[in-house]
Amino acid sequence: MAFSEQEILAGLAEIVNEETGLPTESVTPEKSFTDDLDVDSLSMMTIATLAEEKFEVRIPDEEVGNLKTVQDAVNYINGAQTA
């Protein structure tokens, strides 16, 4: 089952909330994981792993570093689920 961009965004917000304690409504597409959401590289790997499980996609470790904003992650997951 493919997830919509809105469902991916909501799911990522839940994952970021679990990992960082930030409210889900603060996770918006334009936010930078590192600058705005204060996610470090270790937390980012955890977020990527949880996203892989939730959305049934593969996010290679070398791709995680390219996911700078929440929208980058939404776009990557959206593309990966149809690949």
Side-chain angles (χ1 to χ4, degrees):
M1 179 196 120
F3 294 90
S4 70
E5 283 199 21
Q6 202 56 44
E7 290 169 323
I8 295 169
L9 178 60
L12 282 171
E14 289 172 17
I15 291 168
V16 171
N17 169 263
E18 288 170 25
E19 183 64 20
T20 66
L22 287 168
T24 53
E25 59 272 7
S26 71
V27 182
T28 56
E30 71 281 356
K31 293 283 177 83
S32 161
F33 284 109
T34 52
D35 298 337
D36 299 320
L37 302 176
D38 205 27
V39 173
D40 63 22
S41 58
L42 184 60
S43 292
M44 193 63 201
M45 292 306 286
T46 303
I47 289 167
T49 301
L50 292 170
E52 285 180 327
E53 292 169 8
K54 184 171 192 76
F55 301 111
E56 300 173 5
V57 296
R58 176 89 181 91
I59 306 172
D61 291 350
E62 59 273 9
E63 284 296 325
V64 174
N66 296 329
L67 306 178
K68 304 291 185 205
T69 66
V70 174
Q71 187 64 53
D72 290 343
V74 170
N75 292 345
Y76 187 89
I77 292 165
N78 197 30
Q81 67 183 350
T82 56

